[in-house]
Amino acid sequence: MNSDLEYAKSVLKQEITGLESMYWALDNNFVLAVDLIYKKKDGHVIVSGIGKPGHIGRKISATLSSLGTPSFFLHPAEASHGDLGEISKKDILLVLSLSGNTSELIPMLAYANRFGIDVVGITSNSDSILAKSSNAVILMPKIDEACPYNLAPTTTTTMMLAVGDAIALSLLRKKEFSRDDFKNFHPGGALGKRLLKVSDLMHTDIPKVQLNDLMKDVLIEMTKKSFGCTCVVNDEGKIAGIITDGDLRRKIDDKFLERKAKDIMSLHPKTVSEDMFAQEATKLMNKYQITSLFVCKDDKPYGILHIHDCLRMGLV
């Protein structure tokens, strides 16, 4: 077992060495490549490669699309059998090939050069067909694979993947791609839940009473809105307190219905803004063991978030 563990660590060490080499090898050609892609605002980044680089290319394409740069993967063999028609002058090719001379890529590169379509190449061979056909070449340093026979693409594909991530995130930065933009592309799954904001779940028909409202009217408002609470506002419409079911039980007596909201309310209620992430609001309710938060702007309530809304979305 120990020998297996040691060998696994040696594989990772070799791949780390590859990433470090790629770190030092990045130069202004990377900047040129990102700039070329950035300027293609109306087109797609069409990623292509054969074999293991092709699999890496699919992941890079998916990352680009999810971060605001429209992209799709085009298999070079399919391209040679009619799918070259998917490439337009608005697009840019991002081609991955360690040798840069893979035969399946040649027709695609010839097509791109013939019709003036920009090409970004990622390769380790500066004298290759890919390098010579590209408008920008990100040159990978030559390094041994983690494979004991130096054959199976391992270290080099890790390097390609990292370069693809660097391209995608550099474009994110140049485009000022925001969390809200990211949310639009990831409405489902765990990421979607993490990006939900209070504004996505809150109710705007809120329970609200005035400081001098009698408790009989407060009870009617609480029953009508069914949140188990109501906010209490002053003459300026700013939140002054909150009355919950718990406040009712603790302070009920023979003269309860004759009392005013200000006599029963609890001071300093917890409030949030609509821009807070719903997951953080859920943590706040759990921390203080409360079931509702009023959403305020300039201390004026206009929404309410209930714990049940958060639980319904799986925010715990």
Side-chain angles (χ1 to χ4, degrees):
M1 181 63 71
N2 288 338
S3 61
D4 290 341
L5 180 60
E6 290 172 4
Y7 183 71
K9 288 186 176 182
S10 72
V11 171
L12 295 180
K13 186 174 182 180
Q14 177 60 20
E15 299 207 359
I16 291 170
T17 299
L19 290 174
E20 289 177 340
S21 298
M22 192 70 246
Y23 172 88
W24 292 110
L26 279 186
D27 55 19
N28 285 332
N29 286 307
F30 177 87
V31 178
L32 174 60
V34 170
D35 194 53
L36 282 172
I37 298 172
Y38 177 72
K39 290 178 179 178
K40 296 289 183 177
K41 298 182 184 294
D42 297 325
H44 291 79
V45 179
I46 302 175
V47 186
S48 191
I50 199 78
K52 299 302 184 294
H55 293 301
I56 297 299
R58 291 180 187 276
K59 192 276 178 184
I60 293 173
S61 177
T63 299
L64 286 167
S65 293
S66 73
L67 297 180
T69 300
S71 176
F72 63 88
F73 180 84
L74 179 59
H75 195 286
E78 297 294 339
S80 298
H81 291 273
D83 287 355
L84 285 173
E86 296 184 6
I87 309 172
S88 74
K89 289 186 177 180
K90 294 180 179 180
D91 302 320
I92 185 167
L93 281 175
L94 175 59
V95 182
L96 290 71
S97 174
L98 190 61
S99 71
N101 290 318
T102 305
S103 59
E104 291 89 346
L105 296 173
I106 295 175
M108 179 188 294
L109 296 172
Y111 178 88
N113 291 165
R114 178 183 176 187
F115 291 100
I117 298 164
D118 289 336
V119 178
V120 171
I122 301 178
T123 181
S124 64
N125 187 354
S126 60
D127 294 323
S128 64
I129 295 173
L130 174 57
K132 293 176 181 178
S133 301
S134 298
N135 302 84
V137 182
I138 299 175
L139 197 62
M140 295 172 51
K142 293 182 178 180
I143 192 167
D144 288 343
E145 303 286 4
C147 168
Y149 309 115
N150 196 28
L151 295 174
T154 46
T155 305
T156 51
T157 48
T158 298
M159 293 161 67
M160 284 181 175
L161 181 60
V163 170
D165 287 342
I167 291 172
L169 293 172
S170 295
L171 290 166
L172 174 148
R173 180 171 172 268
K174 286 176 75 70
K175 294 181 177 184
E176 298 182 345
F177 189 83
S178 68
R179 282 178 177 264
D180 286 334
D181 295 323
F182 191 85
K183 174 187 169 185
N184 290 333
F185 294 133
H186 300 79
L191 281 176
K193 292 177 182 177
R194 285 174 53 192
L195 294 170
L196 282 173
K197 290 189 175 180
V198 167
S199 58
D200 296 317
L201 301 180
M202 73 181 192
H203 304 266
T204 55
D205 186 17
I206 66 173
K208 184 193 304 184
V209 297
Q210 302 287 324
L211 285 168
N212 291 315
D213 283 352
L214 292 174
M215 283 307 299
K216 64 178 183 178
D217 297 317
V218 172
L219 289 173
I220 291 172
E221 178 71 359
M222 290 178 65
T223 302
K224 180 180 177 181
K225 299 298 173 60
S226 300
F227 286 104
C229 67
T230 182
C231 65
V232 184
V233 298
N234 60 23
D235 292 339
E236 297 177 348
K238 294 185 177 182
I239 192 164
I242 185 173
I243 298 175
T244 68
D245 287 339
D247 292 320
L248 301 181
R249 289 192 297 272
R250 285 189 293 270
K251 297 182 181 181
I252 195 168
D253 57 24
D254 294 339
K255 298 182 179 181
F256 181 77
L257 294 178
E258 301 173 12
R259 296 183 185 276
K260 297 180 178 180
K262 64 182 179 181
D263 302 322
I264 304 298
M265 71 181 188
S266 296
L267 299 173
H268 311 300
K270 303 298 178 185
T271 63
V272 293
S273 71
E274 66 173 11
D275 293 327
M276 176 183 278
F277 286 106
Q279 191 173 58
E280 295 303 313
T282 305
K283 291 179 181 178
L284 190 64
M285 285 188 273
N286 287 331
K287 178 180 179 181
Y288 291 101
Q289 297 183 330
I290 55 179
T291 59
S292 297
L293 291 166
F294 281 98
V295 185
C296 297
K297 183 176 182 180
D298 298 326
D299 293 328
K300 294 182 179 180
Y302 63 96
I304 184 172
L305 179 69
H306 195 274
I307 190 67
H308 288 166
D309 302 312
C310 301
L311 294 174
R312 175 169 46 85
M313 298 304 298
L315 301 173
V316 294

PDB file of all heavy atoms in Angstrom, residues 39 48 79 177 215 258-259 262 296:
ATOM      1  N   LYS A  39     -12.083  39.918 -28.687  1.00  0.00           N
ATOM      2  CA  LYS A  39     -12.606  40.791 -29.746  1.00  0.00           C
ATOM      3  C   LYS A  39     -13.676  40.101 -30.595  1.00  0.00           C
ATOM      4  O   LYS A  39     -14.402  40.773 -31.324  1.00  0.00           O
ATOM      5  CB  LYS A  39     -11.463  41.276 -30.630  1.00  0.00           C
ATOM      6  CG  LYS A  39     -10.548  42.276 -29.923  1.00  0.00           C
ATOM      7  CD  LYS A  39      -9.390  42.696 -30.809  1.00  0.00           C
ATOM      8  CE  LYS A  39      -8.506  43.717 -30.092  1.00  0.00           C
ATOM      9  NZ  LYS A  39      -7.339  44.095 -30.929  1.00  0.00           N
ATOM     10  N   SER A  48     -11.111  22.542 -30.745  1.00  0.00           N
ATOM     11  CA  SER A  48     -10.934  21.282 -31.449  1.00  0.00           C
ATOM     12  C   SER A  48      -9.631  20.613 -31.048  1.00  0.00           C
ATOM     13  O   SER A  48      -8.671  21.276 -30.630  1.00  0.00           O
ATOM     14  CB  SER A  48     -10.949  21.514 -32.968  1.00  0.00           C
ATOM     15  OG  SER A  48     -11.035  20.283 -33.663  1.00  0.00           O
ATOM     16  N   ALA A  79     -15.434  17.602 -38.857  1.00  0.00           N
ATOM     17  CA  ALA A  79     -15.269  18.845 -39.612  1.00  0.00           C
ATOM     18  C   ALA A  79     -14.911  18.563 -41.062  1.00  0.00           C
ATOM     19  O   ALA A  79     -15.384  19.242 -41.986  1.00  0.00           O
ATOM     20  CB  ALA A  79     -14.188  19.705 -38.958  1.00  0.00           C
ATOM     21  N   PHE A 177     -17.351  39.817 -16.007  1.00  0.00           N
ATOM     22  CA  PHE A 177     -18.421  38.829 -15.813  1.00  0.00           C
ATOM     23  C   PHE A 177     -18.697  38.700 -14.322  1.00  0.00           C
ATOM     24  O   PHE A 177     -17.802  38.371 -13.545  1.00  0.00           O
ATOM     25  CB  PHE A 177     -17.958  37.497 -16.409  1.00  0.00           C
ATOM     26  CG  PHE A 177     -19.017  36.432 -16.486  1.00  0.00           C
ATOM     27  CD1 PHE A 177     -19.917  36.401 -17.533  1.00  0.00           C
ATOM     28  CD2 PHE A 177     -19.090  35.435 -15.528  1.00  0.00           C
ATOM     29  CE1 PHE A 177     -20.875  35.399 -17.634  1.00  0.00           C
ATOM     30  CE2 PHE A 177     -20.039  34.430 -15.614  1.00  0.00           C
ATOM     31  CZ  PHE A 177     -20.937  34.415 -16.672  1.00  0.00           C
ATOM     32  N   MET A 215     -53.719  45.749  19.541  1.00  0.00           N
ATOM     33  CA  MET A 215     -53.329  44.360  19.336  1.00  0.00           C
ATOM     34  C   MET A 215     -54.397  43.553  18.609  1.00  0.00           C
ATOM     35  O   MET A 215     -54.083  42.591  17.904  1.00  0.00           O
ATOM     36  CB  MET A 215     -52.979  43.690  20.664  1.00  0.00           C
ATOM     37  CG  MET A 215     -51.605  44.086  21.206  1.00  0.00           C
ATOM     38  SD  MET A 215     -50.267  43.844  20.000  1.00  0.00           S
ATOM     39  CE  MET A 215     -50.356  42.081  19.699  1.00  0.00           C
ATOM     40  N   GLU A 258     -56.252  45.324  24.441  1.00  0.00           N
ATOM     41  CA  GLU A 258     -56.298  46.776  24.580  1.00  0.00           C
ATOM     42  C   GLU A 258     -54.916  47.405  24.444  1.00  0.00           C
ATOM     43  O   GLU A 258     -54.794  48.624  24.331  1.00  0.00           O
ATOM     44  CB  GLU A 258     -56.897  47.147  25.940  1.00  0.00           C
ATOM     45  CG  GLU A 258     -58.308  46.603  26.143  1.00  0.00           C
ATOM     46  CD  GLU A 258     -58.818  46.842  27.558  1.00  0.00           C
ATOM     47  OE1 GLU A 258     -58.159  47.620  28.283  1.00  0.00           O
ATOM     48  OE2 GLU A 258     -59.856  46.258  27.928  1.00  0.00           O
ATOM     49  N   ARG A 259     -53.895  46.569  24.454  1.00  0.00           N
ATOM     50  CA  ARG A 259     -52.544  47.095  24.349  1.00  0.00           C
ATOM     51  C   ARG A 259     -52.230  47.480  22.911  1.00  0.00           C
ATOM     52  O   ARG A 259     -52.911  47.071  21.965  1.00  0.00           O
ATOM     53  CB  ARG A 259     -51.532  46.067  24.844  1.00  0.00           C
ATOM     54  CG  ARG A 259     -51.683  45.737  26.326  1.00  0.00           C
ATOM     55  CD  ARG A 259     -50.604  44.768  26.759  1.00  0.00           C
ATOM     56  NE  ARG A 259     -50.796  44.340  28.140  1.00  0.00           N
ATOM     57  CZ  ARG A 259     -50.380  45.024  29.194  1.00  0.00           C
ATOM     58  NH1 ARG A 259     -49.758  46.185  29.041  1.00  0.00           N
ATOM     59  NH2 ARG A 259     -50.593  44.559  30.411  1.00  0.00           N
ATOM     60  N   LYS A 262     -46.649  48.799  20.055  1.00  0.00           N
ATOM     61  CA  LYS A 262     -45.376  49.220  20.647  1.00  0.00           C
ATOM     62  C   LYS A 262     -45.165  48.633  22.039  1.00  0.00           C
ATOM     63  O   LYS A 262     -44.027  48.558  22.527  1.00  0.00           O
ATOM     64  CB  LYS A 262     -45.290  50.742  20.695  1.00  0.00           C
ATOM     65  CG  LYS A 262     -46.322  51.405  21.598  1.00  0.00           C
ATOM     66  CD  LYS A 262     -46.192  52.924  21.553  1.00  0.00           C
ATOM     67  CE  LYS A 262     -47.227  53.606  22.443  1.00  0.00           C
ATOM     68  NZ  LYS A 262     -47.117  55.098  22.373  1.00  0.00           N
ATOM     69  N   CYS A 296     -35.127  45.161   4.058  1.00  0.00           N
ATOM     70  CA  CYS A 296     -35.263  46.610   4.205  1.00  0.00           C
ATOM     71  C   CYS A 296     -34.310  47.377   3.296  1.00  0.00           C
ATOM     72  O   CYS A 296     -33.240  46.876   2.923  1.00  0.00           O
ATOM     73  CB  CYS A 296     -34.994  47.017   5.654  1.00  0.00           C
ATOM     74  SG  CYS A 296     -36.156  46.348   6.849  1.00  0.00           S
TER      75      CYS A 296
END
